[in-house]
Amino acid sequence: MDRIEQHETENEHDETTARLFSPAATVAACAGFVLLGALQAYYGPSIPALRTRFGLAPSGAGLALSMYFGGAVAGVLTAGMLHRRTRNSRLLITSFLVMAAGAFGFALSANWLLALAASLLSGFGAGGMDYGLNQLFSIGFGRRSPAMLGILNAHYGVGAIAGPLMISWLGARDYPYAFAGTAALLVIASAFFRTVREADEPEHQDASAAGRRSVSRSRIVIPIVIAFLALYALQVAIETGVGAWEPTYLQLLGHGADYAANATSGFWLMLTLGRFLLAPLTLRWSEPTIVCVSCLGTTICLAFAVFPALAPYALAGAGLFNAPVFPAALPWLNRTAPDVRWAGTGAILTANLGGVAAGPLLGLAIEVFGSGSVPWTLTIVSSVCLALALRLRRTTARSASALP
């Protein structure tokens, strides 16, 4: 009975002290992730206009997106290092404003070098936003944190779907209006983060005893953290790989270009839906269970994508099942390794690196084995994710019971 009462007391304390975001700041954060998804999605449909405006080859126009991702990686690393030294509100406001400055600069750039520099700056701010909001949402709502993290990331999908539609509506030549409008909305959203709280400090305890326990725990959990990082890299590689190469695979199966594009939009739509569904799932199941079932479902769907008649539906199912892994695993990681300061930074960084590497590596597999290898390659990667998730579930349960 004492253990039950203690657990209830801890949950009450968790709910009352862990909330870092006001309702207005929560809405602004979700809006920020819509803008993040939209801004990244603007680049692809804008490439024809960029080539015409700056006289670029296709590879040169694609460099803008590469600079954006490079800036995002640098932004994640920088935000991770500065987070302990600056207030949460300052980190978020600065990230939003830097991203806005880059987006506005890209809209107004008179030459290609300035456009690339602006894209790099925008990506840098996006990386800071990505790290800051994911990390704070993973701890900022008590027991509801996994659900809220899923909702936050679902809004990224909303933006990724809306971005190309915006460019289509405006016309590719008027892409600067989309970038400038997004910059203005980022500035407005940043004003709502002044109320974001700091996480409560742990209660005072004997420094030497706490230090010994921290060192002991770190030795046990660091291999676990590395396994989490591998899970993140591979999971995002699956997401990016399907999004990048599904059109190619479906056209190989005999579908038209329009059908393939619509089916790929369906994949992103199902991914977004899966993120929204995480909220009710967390009310019944733990994060380890959700991650394991998600990896299993993703693997099965990707395996069924081998069959031509099932491929579009199976890949959409893969998006639905894969969606909860990222937002459900981050609170699990933070709870498992609270003393490993770089764990959250590493998770978000490796997720970005997995997304960057997925396209070229899957493209290499296609060159060697043909376009038909897409579902098999992704199924193998997903099987590794499933093995890692199952292993982590067993290992974290054992380490939790072994540590004081």
Side-chain angles (χ1 to χ4, degrees):
M1 183 65 68
D2 291 341
R3 291 181 63 186
I4 295 175
E5 292 175 352
Q6 180 183 5
H7 180 69
E8 291 176 348
T9 302
E10 288 174 352
N11 284 339
E12 291 173 0
H13 178 268
D14 183 53
E15 289 294 321
T16 57
T17 64
R19 293 177 184 173
L20 305 183
F21 290 82
S22 66
T26 302
V27 172
C30 292
F33 256 53
V34 172
L35 298 173
L36 179 66
L39 186 65
Q40 181 178 325
Y42 289 156
Y43 283 95
S46 301
I47 283 179
L50 292 171
R51 292 183 62 191
T52 301
R53 180 177 182 181
F54 297 108
L56 303 170
S59 59
L63 189 59
L65 188 57
S66 298
M67 294 294 285
Y68 176 88
F69 277 117
V73 171
V76 171
L77 284 172
T78 303
M81 290 187 293
L82 295 179
H83 187 198
R84 299 277 179 171
R85 306 173 189 174
T86 188
R87 296 181 61 84
N88 294 333
S89 56
R90 183 176 300 172
L91 174 67
L92 295 176
I93 291 171
T94 301
S95 297
F96 270 64
L97 293 180
V98 169
M99 187 176 172
F104 195 67
F106 190 82
L108 298 180
S109 296
N111 62 66
W112 188 232
L113 288 179
L114 288 176
L116 290 179
S119 187
L120 181 69
L121 182 65
S122 180
F124 186 79
M129 177 206 292
D130 190 19
Y131 168 82
L133 288 179
N134 272 304
Q135 185 67 17
L136 294 175
F137 264 62
S138 71
I139 62 172
F141 296 90
R143 288 179 296 170
R144 295 191 301 139
S145 294
M148 294 302 296
L149 190 59
I151 292 172
L152 175 72
N153 280 274
H155 283 83
Y156 176 89
V158 172
I161 294 169
L165 296 177
M166 176 63 70
I167 295 296
S168 175
W169 179 68
L170 290 173
R173 287 186 301 176
D174 290 326
Y175 75 86
Y177 291 106
F179 281 87
T182 299
L185 292 174
L186 285 167
V187 172
I188 294 172
S190 69
F192 292 92
F193 292 116
R194 290 177 296 179
T195 59
V196 175
R197 294 178 49 210
E198 300 301 303
D200 292 326
E201 294 294 331
E203 296 181 2
H204 178 74
Q205 53 186 330
D206 180 73
S208 60
R212 287 193 300 270
R213 183 165 64 250
S214 177
V215 171
S216 175
R217 183 180 180 88
S218 296
R219 288 174 180 171
I220 296 175
V221 301
I222 284 178
I224 298 176
V225 171
I226 293 173
F228 268 107
L229 301 190
L231 175 67
Y232 266 108
L234 295 175
Q235 180 267 328
V236 176
I238 293 169
E239 175 184 316
T240 307
V242 174
W245 291 105
E246 181 178 358
T248 301
Y249 177 61
L250 292 181
Q251 289 182 64
L252 172 71
L253 298 179
H255 297 288
D258 290 341
Y259 179 92
N262 290 333
T264 305
S265 297
F267 165 78
W268 291 112
L269 182 62
M270 295 301 284
L271 188 80
T272 302
L273 177 62
R275 295 268 165 84
F276 278 117
L277 289 176
L278 178 60
L281 290 177
T282 57
L283 299 178
R284 296 193 61 182
W285 292 286
S286 66
E287 295 100 320
T289 299
I290 292 171
V291 171
C292 291
V293 172
S294 295
C295 290
L296 176 61
T298 302
T299 304
I300 293 173
C301 287
L302 290 172
F304 274 108
V306 172
F307 302 101
L310 299 177
Y313 310 102
L315 291 173
L320 180 67
F321 275 103
N322 198 48
V325 177
F326 181 93
L330 192 57
W332 181 16
L333 169 60
N334 286 330
R335 188 171 60 251
T336 302
D339 301 317
V340 183
R341 294 186 175 184
W342 49 267
T345 306
I348 298 169
L349 178 62
T350 53
N352 278 277
L353 292 176
V356 171
L361 291 179
L362 194 55
L364 179 62
I366 291 172
E367 290 180 10
V368 176
F369 302 107
S371 298
S373 65
V374 169
W376 287 116
T377 303
L378 291 171
T379 300
I380 293 170
V381 174
S382 187
S383 298
V384 176
C385 284
L386 176 59
L388 282 170
L390 292 171
R391 180 66 177 174
L392 282 168
R393 185 180 183 183
R394 291 192 296 269
T395 305
T396 54
R398 288 200 303 266
S399 64
S401 60
L403 290 169

